[in-house]
Amino acid sequence: MRNLKELTRPNVWALKPYSSARDEYSGVEASVFLDANENPYHAPYNRYPDPLQKELKALIAPIKHVREGQIFLGNGSDEAIDLIFRVFCRPAVDNVVAIDPTYGMYQVCADVNDVEYRKVLLDENFQFSAEKLLAASDEKTKAIFLCSPNNPTGNNLCRKEIEKLLEGFDGLVIVDEAYADFSNARSFLLDLDKFPNLVVLQTFSKAWGCAAIRLGMAFASEEIIGLFNKVKYPYNVNQLTQQEAIALLKDSQKVQEWVEILLKERTRLADSFAALNCCLHIYPTDANFFLAKVTDASSIYAYLVGKGIIVRNRTNVTLCGNCLRVTIGTPEENDALLDALKEMK
Ligand SMILES: *Cc1c(COP(=O)(O)O)cnc(C)c1O
């Protein structure tokens, strides 16, 4: 890996971060807070939240088998994705490389930050070649984006190729594991200490059932997390979100139960969907959705909208012509989808 200073934008490396009132006193027991110009009334909402979310990270660390200093928490994983650009990529100078098709936010953040986004096509099995990604990169490439299980295709990326990339690329390798809770594959979280250039993204928005609270996680070396902390807004994760996540983490058995039900439903829904007249193929999935090639994605999508059922039309996405992406719902919701499609003329 190039050293971290070389990878980081010079202005960020030199940045003296904003020091909040809550940062400065830490370490002592205090009971009178006259430091942050808060209103003393309307507890607990009157106080600024913990800028580094220490209680939350202490609960996450043992579940994810990482050290607290290897965790960044943000307003969705989308905040972490944006921070990767803002910390490492010089606008109009640097570039990133990504697989194609994949999650749309990498390109949106690249465009917002005026960073060139280089796409490398997946093969017919939706797998990538480390060699091709390396061939698309140059000395201005700061990061390579992977997503496993991938969205919208649903499949895990080949572990061997990811390792090849981590060893062969001297910039950052981002592995977005938003759907890892639905997959049997070994998480790259367990390899953080082996690969100093690895950044793993996970989220509370999918298996954890908390898309509304906006809480995403990035895991990386303490040095990389330190850079994220320097650039993020001081109070980027609000108090309500921290509280709700703490409550859920103390009851994480529930998440396991949801995942079990959803995996059973995934098998049932995919099997029944495959038998429909309109279904041409269902691609293998390791996530809580599947990609299906159908006879006419746009007309089936419109028909379902008319029935009040919304799936994702991916027909305009690379390699996904006439494909719908279907999220696994409750048994009742999945039956509603199947019934509607059986009735379709
Ligand atoms: C849904 C999703 C996310 C989650 O984003 P949040 O901002 O945490 O809600 C991240 N990556 C991928 C690939 C996703 O599909």
Side-chain angles (χ1 to χ4, degrees):
M1 181 177 152
R2 278 167 274 177
N3 74 48
L4 201 55
K5 184 178 176 185
E6 255 179 285
L7 277 178
T8 306
R9 286 173 64 183
N11 61 310
V12 168
W13 191 262
L15 183 72
K16 189 177 174 301
Y18 175 76
S19 179
S20 67
R22 277 304 105 88
D23 277 335
E24 288 188 344
Y25 80 89
S26 74
V28 281
E29 276 298 313
S31 59
V32 179
F33 292 100
L34 305 177
D35 59 341
N37 299 345
E38 300 150 333
N39 186 328
Y41 305 110
H42 200 226
Y45 305 111
N46 58 331
R47 298 295 174 194
Y48 282 101
D50 177 1
L52 290 172
Q53 311 98 21
K54 292 194 193 70
E55 186 182 357
L56 193 44
K57 286 178 185 170
L59 290 170
I60 292 171
I63 292 179
K64 301 293 183 184
H65 310 290
V66 300
R67 296 182 294 280
E68 289 167 39
Q70 294 174 305
I71 307 173
F72 165 83
L73 298 178
N75 187 328
S77 345
D78 292 346
E79 182 183 356
I81 294 166
D82 190 56
L83 272 175
I84 291 163
F85 288 95
R86 294 204 292 140
V87 168
F88 297 104
C89 301
R90 291 167 295 176
V93 175
D94 292 328
N95 68 72
V96 301
V97 171
I99 55 171
D100 182 39
T102 193
Y103 185 47
M105 275 307 287
Y106 316 140
Q107 168 136 37
V108 170
C109 289
D111 291 348
V112 166
N113 289 286
D114 195 14
V115 170
E116 184 193 349
Y117 185 81
R118 300 181 175 179
K119 299 190 252 193
V120 178
L121 202 61
L122 295 175
D123 67 20
E124 65 280 7
N125 297 314
F126 297 138
Q127 289 296 335
F128 77 100
S129 135
E131 212 175 315
K132 279 192 195 162
L133 290 180
L134 289 169
S137 69
D138 59 22
E139 73 287 348
K140 298 276 170 55
T141 306
K142 294 298 185 71
I144 297 182
F145 283 85
L146 303 175
C147 183
S148 181
N150 190 25
N151 179 4
T153 60
N155 60 297
N156 279 321
L157 298 179
C158 173
R159 186 180 178 88
K160 275 268 149 51
E161 285 302 301
I162 299 178
E163 286 176 352
K164 228 192 264 180
L165 196 63
L166 282 161
E167 279 158 10
F169 181 54
D170 62 1
L172 301 177
V173 176
I174 319 302
V175 182
D176 188 340
E177 294 187 349
Y179 300 97
D181 298 283
F182 300 103
S183 161
N184 295 322
R186 173 187 150 101
S187 168
F188 272 89
L189 279 183
L190 305 174
D191 301 298
L192 277 180
D193 287 327
K194 193 164 152 199
F195 301 113
N197 56 341
L198 170 63
V199 178
V200 177
L201 302 178
Q202 293 192 2
T203 179
F204 278 73
S205 297
K206 306 289 157 60
W208 288 77
C210 278
I213 74 172
R214 309 305 303 131
L215 186 61
M217 300 169 272
F219 304 90
S221 70
E222 274 96 342
E223 292 73 23
I224 292 174
I225 297 301
L227 290 167
F228 288 171
N229 286 338
K230 200 155 93 149
V231 173
K232 78 180 185 71
Y233 290 155
Y235 305 107
N236 61 325
V237 179
N238 73 68
Q239 181 69 14
L240 296 171
T241 294
Q242 293 190 42
Q243 276 166 8
E244 184 59 29
I246 287 165
L248 188 64
L249 283 161
K250 289 179 175 165
D251 187 19
S252 59
Q253 180 60 27
K254 208 156 59 180
V255 177
Q256 283 319 304
E257 289 165 19
W258 290 332
V259 168
E260 264 174 52
I261 296 173
L262 290 170
L263 290 181
K264 274 195 200 132
E265 276 298 298
R266 182 176 80 188
T267 305
R268 184 182 76 89
L269 178 59
D271 288 352
S272 307
F273 197 101
L276 295 166
N277 287 330
C278 67
C279 180
L280 302 177
H281 183 63
I282 294 199
Y283 295 93
T285 180
D286 299 288
N288 66 330
F289 62 85
F290 59 78
L291 189 71
K293 194 177 271 303
V294 294
T295 47
D296 183 348
S298 297
S299 72
I300 295 170
Y301 172 79
Y303 165 80
L304 288 170
V305 170
K307 298 267 175 183
I309 298 170
I310 315 299
V311 297
R312 199 86 202 267
N313 185 1
R314 298 284 72 185
T315 193
N316 291 324
V317 172
T318 320
L319 301 180
C320 298
N322 272 323
C323 285
L324 298 174
R325 194 192 70 191
V326 180
T327 306
I328 312 305
T330 64
E332 296 73 23
E333 291 169 332
N334 301 332
D335 283 340
L337 172 70
L338 290 169
D339 290 346
L341 288 173
K342 281 177 198 157
E343 278 171 19
M344 188 176 59
K345 301 250 165 38

